[in-house]
Amino acid sequence: MTTFLRRALTAVIGLPLVIYLVHVGGWALLVVLAALAVIGLREFYIAFSKTDKPIHGIGYFFTGAYFVAIYIFGAGYWLLIALTLFIVTVQACLVVFYKHLPLKECVSTVYGFLYVPFLLSFIALVRQHEYGGHFFVWLIFTASFGCDTFAYLTGVTIGRRRLKNSPSPSKSVEGLVGGIIGAGLVGLIFGFAYGNFSDAFNPGISLHLIALLAMGVSLVGAVFSIIGDMAASAVKRFCEIKDFGNVFPGHGGVLDRIDSVIIVAPIVYIAINILFRLVF
């Protein structure tokens, strides 16, 4: 089976599942996100195991505890408590095992947790948001997948100027611009469609405002989607690996598939809170 067919089959199976989970939200979405976070964190730790020995057990335990805290308490200071306890625990390990635990291994343990479970959790936090979470959560995907798709298509067709001194030298300037514009258009179309077929928003909010919000958030998210993709490439180059794993046939590991999503998710969450205070 060719790489294209493997990618297509993975998309056909995975896309309906993503749509269902994002639609229903709740514990089902949290369970899947927690599982992806553990797998992604494991991929990250294994990638760094060539040079460092991250503390796997602590990372996995606090990933589970962190998502349980989200389920029970939602967003708020409880998440800061969970992060604080995690960092304090790693620091305690550094003190107790200081003769056998180099500092760089503690750093990679904390970095992996912040990079994968923490950032990924913002998908759930956006979905749980009291105002428009059911709408804004989709913009995480219009920004990341829209940018990725249009960047590829634009780069293949008219890409000429390659990025120099970049973790992704094969990408082109035209591709990046096309990806951002394409993500904005996808967001705009989604905003109009959502406004027409859903009554979830306050009737006082115009269809044009919904569409403009979707386009604006998607445009900003697309910029950070590019950063997320290149950051993952930089990590892989540092660790001297091609892919983080092979969970998704044709796509690589979990981190290979969500490298842009996990950067866009917190940006959308920030955008919601800013818009909620300034507009609504």
Side-chain angles (χ1 to χ4, degrees):
M1 185 180 292
T2 65
T3 300
F4 175 79
L5 289 177
R6 288 198 299 269
R7 283 175 174 260
L9 182 60
T10 301
V12 168
I13 296 174
L15 185 59
L17 180 61
V18 171
I19 293 174
Y20 171 76
L21 290 171
V22 173
H23 175 70
V24 299
W27 66 267
L29 177 60
L30 274 172
V31 168
V32 173
L33 287 177
L36 291 175
V38 170
I39 296 171
L41 184 61
R42 182 175 182 272
E43 291 175 351
F44 181 90
Y45 284 165
I46 289 176
F48 271 80
S49 291
K50 290 184 177 181
T51 56
D52 303 330
K53 302 293 181 183
I55 312 172
H56 290 233
I58 291 178
Y60 303 150
F61 173 80
F62 275 94
T63 296
Y66 182 73
F67 278 91
V68 169
I70 292 175
Y71 177 72
I72 297 175
F73 304 110
Y77 65 90
W78 287 102
L79 301 185
L80 290 177
I81 291 175
L83 285 175
T84 301
L85 290 175
F86 169 69
I87 295 173
V88 168
T89 301
V90 174
Q91 292 289 77
C93 289
L94 180 62
V95 172
V96 175
F97 305 106
Y98 73 97
K99 288 187 177 181
H100 309 284
L101 184 64
L103 177 61
K104 63 179 183 178
E105 296 180 2
C106 294
V107 172
S108 61
T109 300
V110 174
Y111 177 44
F113 181 86
L114 294 177
Y115 179 48
V116 187
F118 177 69
L119 293 181
L120 186 62
S121 70
F122 279 92
I123 295 177
L125 296 179
V126 170
R127 181 62 180 82
Q128 290 179 355
H129 201 274
E130 61 184 333
Y131 190 91
H134 45 76
F135 167 73
F136 284 100
V137 68
W138 291 109
L139 301 185
I140 298 172
F141 302 102
T142 62
S144 55
F145 295 151
C147 180
D148 182 60
T149 301
F150 280 91
Y152 173 77
L153 294 175
T154 307
V156 168
T157 54
I158 62 172
R160 296 293 182 270
R161 289 170 290 185
R162 300 297 173 183
L163 297 177
K164 298 180 180 179
N165 301 319
S166 161
S168 303
S170 62
K171 295 185 183 299
S172 66
V173 175
E174 294 85 356
L176 298 187
V177 174
I180 295 172
I181 295 174
L185 291 175
V186 172
L188 182 67
I189 295 170
F190 171 76
F192 272 115
Y194 193 96
N196 272 315
F197 297 107
S198 175
D199 58 355
F201 270 100
N202 187 314
I205 300 178
S206 70
L207 175 62
H208 290 87
L209 178 57
I210 295 174
L212 288 175
L213 282 174
M215 182 179 69
V217 173
S218 294
L219 285 171
V220 174
V223 175
F224 287 91
S225 171
I226 294 169
I227 294 174
D229 179 66
M230 290 192 176
S233 296
V235 171
K236 286 188 284 188
R237 285 183 178 276
F238 175 81
C239 296
E240 299 180 344
I241 58 174
K242 183 179 183 295
D243 294 316
F244 282 107
N246 56 2
V247 174
F248 301 113
H251 292 279
V254 168
L255 283 182
D256 295 297
R257 185 66 277 180
I258 65 171
D259 52 7
S260 58
V261 173
I262 59 177
I263 301 297
V264 175
I267 299 303
V268 172
Y269 184 78
I270 293 170
I272 289 180
N273 286 280
I274 293 174
L275 290 171
F276 183 69
R277 293 183 181 276
L278 297 181
V279 179
F280 304 112

